[in-house]
């Protein structure tokens, strides 16, 4: 059997990298973080969508390495805030904001709204540039709501305040559970489905 593609993950976010690595390996693809090559990417601020930002990251990684690359751009969309923070999720509380500062700002923005008005979703868009330069993309969504306090010990970013059906936060989930339901895991599995389609067409060893 042919060896499947080893992707270079275009992210410097340790939480994302761990998840991308875990999901890709569980479906048979290899993955290494671009940081292991000593390469740092500029964090795009100018894209108007998750897709556009993921493309910017993937193209920069490709230009700098010439390898098969995979980039994710993701964020949180809160209904009561008209979809904010959206593409600004990472720097919601300002440039260089910590996860705690971002979560505090979001909790303050929602004040004491009841649970049914705190609905939100995490969105991930993944873009892969294949060895021959073809681009394949997919997106995934995880529905939930923003709680009023933090809970859980795993994960990263806004995980401790993102509650899902059943009343658990993303931060309560072990890797195994997270890989079945997170927005990024969903996007990566869709991407893998598309890659399998290309592989079946016998174009190459994708
Ligand atoms: P970006 O994709 O680098 O713009 O970063 C998106 C930001 O959204 C991250 O820095 C996190 O704060 C947040 N985020 C994205 N995905 C997740 C997740 O799976 N859990 C928690 N926070 C996330």
């Amino acid at each position: 059997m042919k060896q499947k593609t080893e992707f270079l993950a275009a992210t410097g976010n340790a939480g994302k990298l761990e998840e991308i690595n875990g999901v890709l390996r569980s479906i048979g693809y290899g993955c290494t973080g671009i940081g292991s090559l000593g390469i740092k990417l500029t964090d795009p601020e100018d894209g108007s969508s998750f897709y556009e930002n993921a493309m910017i990251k993937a193209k920069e990684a490709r230009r700098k390495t010439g390898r098969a690359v995979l980039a994710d751009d993701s964020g949180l969309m809160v209904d009561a805030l008209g979809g904010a923070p959206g593409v600004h999720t990472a720097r919601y509380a300002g440039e260089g904001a910590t996860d705690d500062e971002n979560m505090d700002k979001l909790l303050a923005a929602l004040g004491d709204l009841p649970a049914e008005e705190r609905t939100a979703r995490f969105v991930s868009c993944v873009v892969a540039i294949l060895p021959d330069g073809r681009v394949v993309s997919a997106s995934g969504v995880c529905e939930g709501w923003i709680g009023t306090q933090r809970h859980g010990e795993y994960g990263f970013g806004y995980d401790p305040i993102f509650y899902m059906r059943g009343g658990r936060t993303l931060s309560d989930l072990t890797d195994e559970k997270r890989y079945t339901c997170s927005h990024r895991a969903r996007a990566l599995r869709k991407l893998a489905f598309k890659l399998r389609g290309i592989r079946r067409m016998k174009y190459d060893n994708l």
Side-chain angles (χ1 to χ4, degrees), residues 62-119:
R62 173 70 168 198
R63 203 171 49 246
K64 290 185 168 165
T65 65
R67 300 253 306 262
V69 297
L70 185 139
D72 152 284
D73 197 73
S74 48
L76 189 54
M77 303 185 74
V78 180
D79 293 320
L81 303 178
V87 291
H88 306 294
T89 301
R91 46 179 78 80
Y92 184 48
E95 196 58 49
T98 63
D99 290 339
D100 275 324
E101 288 164 346
N102 282 332
M103 284 191 283
D104 285 341
K105 178 167 176 185
L106 184 56
L107 291 174
L110 293 180
D112 54 7
L113 280 180
E116 62 273 20
E117 291 178 42
R118 304 173 77 95
T119 49

Side-chain angles (χ1 to χ4, degrees), residues 11 13 16 19 43-44 53 57 72-76 87 89-91 99 102 122-123 156-159 170 178 182-184:
T11 181
N13 179 318
K16 277 189 190 184
E19 184 171 1
D43 206 10
N53 282 333
K57 294 178 194 176
D72 152 284
D73 197 73
S74 48
L76 189 54
V87 291
T89 301
R91 46 179 78 80
D99 290 339
N102 282 332
F122 265 121
V123 180
F156 65 100
Y158 294 74
D159 282 348
L170 259 181
R178 182 190 185 96
S182 84
H183 45 305
R184 191 166 297 103

Side-chain angles (χ1 to χ4, degrees), residues 136-148:
V136 185
S137 67
S139 60
V141 172
C142 179
E143 297 282 348
W145 70 92
I146 305 301
T148 52

Side-chain angles (χ1 to χ4, degrees), residues 168-187:
R168 283 182 304 176
T169 65
L170 259 181
S171 199
D172 285 322
L173 303 188
T174 57
D175 287 349
E176 199 185 327
K177 287 256 162 49
R178 182 190 185 96
Y179 296 168
T180 64
C181 72
S182 84
H183 45 305
R184 191 166 297 103
R186 287 184 170 150

Side-chain angles (χ1 to χ4, degrees), residues 11-78:
T11 181
N13 179 318
K16 277 189 190 184
L17 180 60
E18 192 180 333
E19 184 171 1
I20 292 171
N21 210 339
V23 177
L24 281 186
R25 288 196 187 282
S26 74
I27 50 185
Y29 289 90
C31 175
T32 314
I34 197 162
S36 67
L37 302 183
I39 295 175
K40 228 175 151 342
L41 300 175
T42 40
D43 206 10
E45 278 179 69
D46 30 0
S48 60
S49 66
F50 297 119
Y51 174 76
E52 220 180 300
N53 282 333
M55 271 302 273
I56 292 171
K57 294 178 194 176
K59 282 183 173 167
E60 186 186 352
R62 173 70 168 198
R63 203 171 49 246
K64 290 185 168 165
T65 65
R67 300 253 306 262
V69 297
L70 185 139
D72 152 284
D73 197 73
S74 48
L76 189 54
M77 303 185 74
V78 180

